[in-house]
Amino acid sequence: MNDKTNAGLFERAQRVIPGGVNSPVRAFRAVGGTPRFIARAKGAYLWDSEGQRYIDYIGSWGPMILGHGHPGVLEAVRQAAEDGLSFGAPTEREIELAEAIVALVPGLEQVRLVSSGTEAAMSAIRLARGATSRSRLIKFEGCYHGHADALLVKAGSGLATFGNPTSAGVPPEVVQHTIVLPYNDVAALDAAFAEHGHDLACVMVEPIAGNMNFVRASVPFMTRLRELCTAHGALLVFDEVMSGFRVALGGAQSVYARLIPGFAPDMSVFGKVIGGGMPLAAFGGSSAVMSQLAPLGPVYQAGTLSGNPVATACGLATLREITRPGFFEALAQRTRALVAGLVSAAREADIALCGDSEGGMFGFFFHDELPQNYPTVMTTDKERFNHFFHGMLDRGVYLAPALYEAGFVSAAHSAQDIDLTLEAARQSFKALRA
Ligand SMILES: *Cc1c(COP(=O)(O)O)cnc(C)c1O
């Protein structure tokens, strides 16, 4: 009755929650085994219901960039809660958060706050369609933009677990305006714009994709994408729900702006880090585009809990910490050390492995070279990844439970945590060879 083991809780959960989880990848279906039920977390660690400690490289899939239970964030949340959980009326804190986001992302003039990345991406395409009076949109295979119908096509990680390119329950008519192209394929981009450019509302892209492990858009691809959008009057929408405030303070767009002179997207979608672990997301762009939204313009969008006072306090406190001088340099350095250590530990065991990272986001592949697109990611030896995943889990390291997910390091991960992780990796790689 009061079984607190992971297996006991999983069995109980499955009676009242479909699959025992409230988001599919948590169920460990890709890697097999019993999901860990988390009792608490602090800093870089999670503890499951059996009291087992894990070094956490998921960080709630990105938001926990400061680690768990950061004192400044907890205090901000506590104070905000005392003042009221929700008002359904405007607050000064919403302005502060919007000002902070706009200040950190060049080219962004206005944002609207919502409660999830799904909601933000869905609203962004409605706005792009409303603002351009066009219907079609392009997305890329392996990029995930939340589970709104029009975007739930060949969408990477969660769906990949189940081998369906697209969810059931999405009628073909609903996705008839969604064009799916291979990632990093300039020729496919040229061809699609030649055919549909006049009718394209927007192109939505994960600039550094984190839902097919970790794959960067190449500079030639991104350059051409920007040129084509501008030439055809389609809006370039960066989905930075994962990469925003994670790969760099200015998001992946600041990374590409360094590589491509004058580069900026037309609209951006944020989530994860800007909520610091609470439900909060945003979409934004120029004032001209954003003024098409109700109450100013004809594109309707709303939310009872949008700009929630506790979530905005959590997000603001998180942004305050990550804007401290040197924050991203230190985070990036630790993340690079982890990836370099994994690669050399694999080499010691004569296992082909490559990896990449930007800021506090990373990926590694059982490949000789970094994959450039989803089909190549999917050629990874799944059995090998799953053995490695369980080897690490058994040794107290919690990696994402699927090979098509990125990983995340937080500011709370110490050099010693990285060392412990690499020792676990050496043993796990050795076990793979045995
Ligand atoms: C997580 C994610 C989303 C969806 O955000 P939710 O808050 O889970 O709805 C959208 N786009 C990207 C790139 C994501 O990583």
Side-chain angles (χ1 to χ4, degrees):
M1 192 58 216
N2 224 354
D3 187 348
K4 297 284 193 231
T5 63
N6 293 304
L9 290 172
F10 192 37
E11 199 181 295
R12 187 171 138 211
Q14 290 177 82
R15 281 184 225 130
V16 286
I17 301 171
V21 293
N22 285 311
S23 197
V25 290
R26 295 178 195 170
F28 276 27
R29 294 291 280 265
V31 290
T34 307
R36 304 307 193 253
F37 280 69
I38 305 305
R40 67 193 177 89
K42 185 75 189 167
Y45 310 121
L46 300 170
W47 283 267
D48 71 12
S49 59
E50 299 176 13
Q52 180 68 46
R53 190 190 86 168
Y54 304 91
I55 304 176
D56 178 19
Y57 289 103
I58 301 183
S60 187
W61 302 94
M64 310 314 297
I65 194 166
L66 302 175
H68 298 279
H70 184 282
V73 174
L74 286 187
E75 188 47 37
V77 166
R78 229 177 262 123
Q79 272 183 27
E82 290 285 343
D83 289 336
L85 295 178
S86 185
F87 314 121
T91 64
E92 185 176 3
R93 208 172 292 131
E94 293 165 275
I95 315 172
E96 289 174 347
L97 183 59
E99 285 171 347
I101 295 169
V102 165
L104 291 172
V105 182
L108 204 61
E109 291 176 343
Q110 295 197 326
V111 288
R112 178 155 284 174
L113 305 180
V114 295
S115 302
S116 74
T118 293
E119 208 186 336
M122 177 188 82
S123 304
I125 58 167
R126 184 182 304 142
L127 175 56
R129 284 167 160 171
T132 56
S133 304
R134 297 171 173 185
S135 305
R136 279 189 209 280
L137 66 95
I138 288 176
K139 76 172 289 292
F140 299 96
E141 190 182 11
C143 287
Y144 178 65
H145 305 295
H147 59 91
D149 285 352
L151 294 165
L152 204 53
V153 193
K154 297 195 177 175
S157 52
L159 291 161
T161 310
F162 302 98
N164 307 325
T166 305
S167 170
V170 177
E173 311 86 78
V174 175
V175 291
Q176 65 179 338
H177 299 301
T178 304
I179 300 163
V180 185
L181 299 181
Y183 198 70
N184 274 332
D185 186 334
V186 174
L189 209 53
D190 282 330
F193 269 87
E195 189 176 349
H196 304 292
H198 63 284
D199 190 29
L200 267 182
C202 66
V203 178
M204 185 169 269
V205 63
E206 277 187 83
I208 297 178
N211 290 286
M212 47 173 156
N213 201 320
F214 179 103
V215 181
R216 293 169 191 269
S218 74
V219 169
F221 177 74
M222 195 59 90
T223 305
R224 189 69 185 138
L225 182 53
R226 178 66 276 181
E227 285 169 3
L228 287 167
C229 284
T230 303
H232 290 86
L235 298 173
L236 176 55
V237 186
F238 261 31
D239 182 348
E240 297 229 46
V241 171
M242 190 179 275
S243 57
F245 310 97
R246 164 57 72 177
V247 300
L249 202 47
Q253 53 196 277
S254 71
V255 173
Y256 285 93
R258 278 203 303 275
L259 300 167
I260 307 167
F263 182 90
D266 300 303
M267 291 177 64
S268 300
V269 182
F270 299 104
K272 297 192 169 113
V273 170
I274 59 166
M278 299 215 46
L280 197 149
F283 62 103
S286 67
S287 304
V289 169
M290 294 303 284
S291 65
Q292 296 298 308
L293 277 180
L296 298 176
V299 179
Y300 194 72
Q301 184 278 331
T304 301
L305 297 177
S306 291
N308 175 270
V310 185
T312 46
C314 187
L316 263 175
T318 302
L319 291 189
R320 198 170 302 129
E321 294 301 322
I322 69 174
T323 46
R324 288 187 194 281
F327 179 90
F328 270 92
E329 287 78 358
L331 183 66
Q333 194 199 3
R334 196 128 297 166
T335 309
R336 279 195 298 265
L338 171 70
V339 173
L342 286 174
V343 171
S344 71
R347 192 174 301 137
E348 281 165 34
D350 214 13
I351 287 170
L353 189 94
C354 60
D356 195 4
S357 69
E358 188 70 41
M361 180 171 160
F362 69 93
F364 63 89
F365 301 89
F366 289 96
H367 283 267
D368 293 318
E369 281 176 32
L370 293 172
Q372 294 296 302
N373 57 32
Y374 182 75
T376 319
V377 172
M378 297 309 281
T379 61
T380 300
D381 183 341
K382 193 161 171 269
E383 288 307 307
R384 182 168 261 199
F385 174 85
N386 291 352
H387 275 123
F388 180 67
F389 167 83
H390 279 293
M392 295 297 274
L393 195 65
D394 290 346
R395 293 172 176 88
V397 179
Y398 199 126
L399 299 169
L403 63 87
Y404 13 76
E405 307 285 357
F408 305 97
V409 173
S410 81
H413 286 75
S414 67
Q416 198 198 353
D417 292 324
I418 304 291
D419 286 346
L420 283 172
T421 304
L422 294 178
E423 183 49 37
R426 273 187 284 274
Q427 293 173 16
S428 301
F429 285 133
K430 231 175 256 157
L432 282 186
R433 300 285 300 169

